[in-house]
Amino acid sequence: MSATRARAPEGGYDFIVVGSGAAGLVGAISARLAGLRPLIIEKSDRWGGTTAMSGGVLWIPANDSMIAEGVDDPVERARTYLAGLLGPDASERERAKAEAFLDNAPAMARMLAGEGLQWVRNRDHPDYYPEVDGAGHGRTLEAAPIDGHRLGERLATLRGGELDVPALTSDKFGPAVLTKTGLRPAMVGAGIMLRHYGDRLRGRKPLGSGRGLIASLMLIVDRLAIPVRLSTPLVDLIIEHGAVTGVVVDHDGRRESLPAPAGVLLAAGGFAHNPALRRELQGFDATWSNASPDDQGDALVAARAIGADTELLDDCWWMPTLEVGPGQHALALGLRALPGSIVVDHHGKRYMDEARSYMATGRIMREHGAAEHRHWLIMDERFLSRHIFPDLSPTSARAAMMAAGTLKRGETIADLAVQCGLDPAALSATVERFNGFARAGVDEDFQRGATAYDRYWADPAHRPNPSLGAIERPPFWAAVLRPGDLGTNGGVKTDAAGRVLDGAEWPIEGLYAAGNGSGSPFRRSYPGAGATIGAASTFGYIAARHAARRRVNAPAE
């Protein structure tokens, strides 16, 4: 904590946003539109945070696109759904945060649309807990792909801006994987590549998914003339008369005090890549995080130093992850639901419905010992030849994984088991039992393929169950699967206005938080596709608007 009085720089600003992911950019935009003068500071020399590395979708129930299309999905259904996920033991504060999300998420998306962001709705994506009353589908929004050259000089500092990949909307992810399985998905795949190379021939830089979203937000930030300072990590929070009034940062090797009389919004992510904090707060020595490498808990450390309370620190946004090699890993999303694969533990046995949501699957994996022992994604040659996975399909990728020992190959299941250090009899029995389920179309052990979510990532042309396929065509393959994450989902404790709370649950004046560095409004659940960015953006919006009202009502300086 610092008691240094910050001196206002030339040009002036009164509200500081720490972090340049979705929570930060939406918070800054909201602050500017509410009459504040925000400044965005970013630790890295790249902007975009974990959002830029993500799928870039937002879970927004009762959004304007649904209403415009006449979709009968009132907010009361989503309220019922969230109440079921929060559980009967949720506190009044926790229920109020969920309610604030429902009340403000559509308005936040509407505000951004009014500033030029073009939303696209995924009409078919189901919620992640379809068995819970109030679950629905089509509640997910994403930004339409854009030409990165619209960013001008900012393109050079966009996280991942150098990548040359097709700009997809989320409804194309599944068909892209299935390109080899039939004429219709093949046409989708061909269309994706034709558009991509057509854009390149016309001199465009197509940006989709998380990069498309964060670029669309930065265009608004720049149009509103909101300053952004890169390579400016947060060091400390300034306290004056019991309120947070600024920050201390490190810039070019020297400390600098920046004033924020209207408040500070902590939107710098969590602590996924801070081994010491993960060991202290979560007890994890081995982690496989897909968050931004700068996600190291700076904001959490600064907030704890001034007495901020915390919550849900032991949890993450779990994501099953392929261990590619030392320090290298890749998301295991659709491949767990497609016919022709299973997940087994270090005893060679199945232990879950592999096609469940990544949050549920990753947590089960962690609880079942997949961090301490190698668990394996078992596949046959038909599975790999019919589906396209950027991290497994290329011959070079397989060779690299085999050299690293994270991909094994066997001519028989028993041979594969030996390669993986598994009991051949146990793995053979597991595969034989599963193959019987696949032929019958019913998974009697874990009901894989029984829910709308299981089937969303599966192969709709496969019968009798789109998620169950026999593992029988040699050679057979096994890839190491770990309980990775998309980042932490606990942090400083906040209220329904996004205010950071102290140990007595009193607001710390002038301090707000949104995103992965604060406790999730969904507790330990993940309601649907885009719940992370949806909540982060919504609470950035809520916090900034509260700060603006607080500034208006503040006594004259």
Side-chain angles (χ1 to χ4, degrees):
M1 177 180 67
S2 174
T4 305
R5 179 176 293 276
R7 183 175 60 188
E10 294 181 8
Y13 46 81
D14 54 13
F15 187 66
I16 290 179
V17 176
V18 185
S20 63
L25 298 194
V26 174
I29 292 166
S30 305
R32 184 70 188 89
L33 294 177
L36 296 179
R37 294 169 295 156
L39 165 69
I40 300 169
I41 62 172
E42 165 60 49
K43 173 182 182 177
S44 173
D45 59 358
R46 296 292 188 101
W47 55 273
T50 298
T51 303
M53 304 166 62
S54 73
V57 299
L58 295 82
W59 190 70
I60 310 291
N63 60 70
D64 287 0
S65 296
M66 300 177 76
I67 295 171
E69 294 172 22
V71 176
D72 184 20
D73 189 28
V75 71
E76 286 74 17
R77 289 193 67 223
R79 182 172 290 112
T80 298
Y81 179 57
L82 283 187
L85 296 182
L86 291 177
D89 61 333
S91 68
E92 181 178 348
R93 177 188 61 85
E94 290 170 323
R95 289 192 295 270
K97 285 179 65 175
E99 189 67 28
F101 168 79
L102 290 173
D103 287 345
N104 288 277
M108 178 275 299
R110 186 179 309 126
M111 174 201 73
L112 295 176
E115 294 301 312
L117 195 152
Q118 183 181 349
W119 291 117
V120 177
R121 185 170 78 92
N122 186 324
R123 296 177 175 83
D124 300 321
H125 208 302
D127 287 342
Y128 286 177
Y129 305 88
E131 72 281 2
V132 176
D133 190 21
H137 63 274
R139 292 167 170 168
T140 293
L141 297 178
E142 58 196 298
I146 68 167
D147 178 9
H149 291 306
R150 293 176 59 190
L151 292 166
E153 293 182 355
R154 284 224 191 269
L155 178 60
T157 52
L158 166 63
R159 184 173 294 281
E162 72 282 359
L163 298 176
D164 181 26
V165 295
L168 302 184
T169 49
S170 61
D171 61 329
K172 299 296 190 298
F173 293 168
V177 171
L178 296 170
T179 295
K180 296 181 180 180
T181 63
L183 179 60
R184 181 172 295 180
M187 292 177 64
V188 172
I192 290 170
M193 298 313 299
L194 284 172
R195 281 191 295 274
H196 179 63
Y197 288 114
D199 282 337
R200 289 179 57 184
L201 287 172
R202 287 189 286 270
R204 298 174 182 169
K205 173 69 174 179
L207 297 178
S209 300
R211 295 182 305 150
L213 170 65
I214 208 71
S216 296
L217 293 174
M218 184 57 82
L219 288 175
I220 300 173
V221 166
D222 282 343
R223 183 171 54 76
L224 295 176
I226 299 171
V228 181
R229 288 181 54 170
L230 303 181
S231 301
T232 307
L234 172 70
V235 174
D236 211 345
L237 295 167
I238 297 173
I239 298 287
E240 295 177 325
H241 309 297
V244 173
T245 60
V247 300
V248 177
V249 300
D250 187 353
H251 187 64
D252 290 336
R254 63 182 182 86
R255 298 293 171 89
E256 182 180 357
S257 298
L258 306 178
V264 172
L265 171 60
L266 301 178
F271 54 97
H273 285 291
N274 186 320
L277 280 178
R278 292 199 70 158
R279 192 173 300 113
E280 173 199 347
L281 302 173
Q282 299 183 325
F284 299 158
D285 285 320
T287 59
W288 298 266
S289 184
N290 300 279
S292 163
D294 297 296
D295 193 53
Q296 297 176 342
D298 297 5
L300 174 64
V301 170
R304 291 172 80 190
I306 64 166
D309 200 1
T310 57
E311 59 180 338
L312 303 173
L313 291 176
D314 62 327
D315 209 1
C316 292
W317 301 111
W318 299 109
M319 167 62 76
T321 300
L322 289 173
E323 187 176 346
V324 177
Q328 297 176 300
H329 42 264
L331 305 184
L333 191 55
L335 48 73
R336 296 176 292 104
L338 289 163
S341 72
I342 57 172
V343 175
V344 300
D345 62 14
H346 51 292
H347 300 297
K349 297 180 179 180
R350 290 181 72 212
Y351 58 94
M352 62 179 174
D353 168 8
E354 299 92 340
R356 290 187 67 185
S357 76
Y358 41 88
M359 179 74 161
T361 304
R363 178 177 285 138
I364 292 171
M365 290 183 65
R366 167 63 70 169
E367 294 170 349
H368 201 76
E372 296 78 18
H373 305 279
R374 284 185 163 190
H375 288 196
W376 299 88
L377 179 72
I378 306 296
M379 308 158 280
D380 69 356
E381 182 65 21
R382 178 169 49 194
F383 177 85
L384 286 180
S385 64
R386 282 175 59 83
H387 308 126
I388 297 176
F389 307 115
D391 303 293
L392 274 178
S393 296
T395 302
S396 59
R398 293 193 210 180
M401 288 183 67
M402 292 184 74
T406 58
L407 180 67
K408 304 292 185 178
R409 180 183 185 274
E411 290 302 321
T412 66
I413 292 295
D415 179 34
L416 184 68
V418 172
Q419 299 293 324
C420 298
L422 303 174
D423 180 356
L427 183 61
S428 296
T430 295
V431 171
E432 182 179 357
R433 180 172 176 82
F434 178 79
N435 286 350
F437 296 158
R439 295 185 187 101
V442 178
D443 178 2
E444 296 180 8
D445 288 340
F446 302 105
Q447 294 74 54
R448 174 169 158 184
T451 71
Y453 182 81
D454 284 11
R455 295 188 294 272
Y456 179 79
W457 289 105
D459 182 353
H462 183 80
R463 298 291 185 271
N465 186 320
S467 188
L468 301 181
I471 302 171
E472 56 189 1
R473 180 178 297 177
F476 301 97
W477 300 84
V480 177
L481 198 65
R482 296 293 194 177
D485 63 70
L486 301 173
T488 51
N489 71 339
V492 295
K493 183 179 288 187
T494 56
D495 65 7
R499 296 179 295 182
V500 176
L501 305 178
D502 64 17
E505 292 205 353
W506 285 97
I508 298 175
E509 284 297 312
L511 186 60
Y512 301 85
N516 288 0
S518 59
S520 168
F522 312 127
R523 298 187 81 192
R524 299 184 185 277
S525 67
Y526 200 134
T532 53
I533 302 177
S537 301
T538 298
F539 274 88
Y541 168 84
I542 291 171
R545 288 165 60 85
H546 185 278
R549 292 193 297 272
R550 173 178 172 273
R551 182 66 166 158
V552 168
N553 296 326
E557 297 179 354

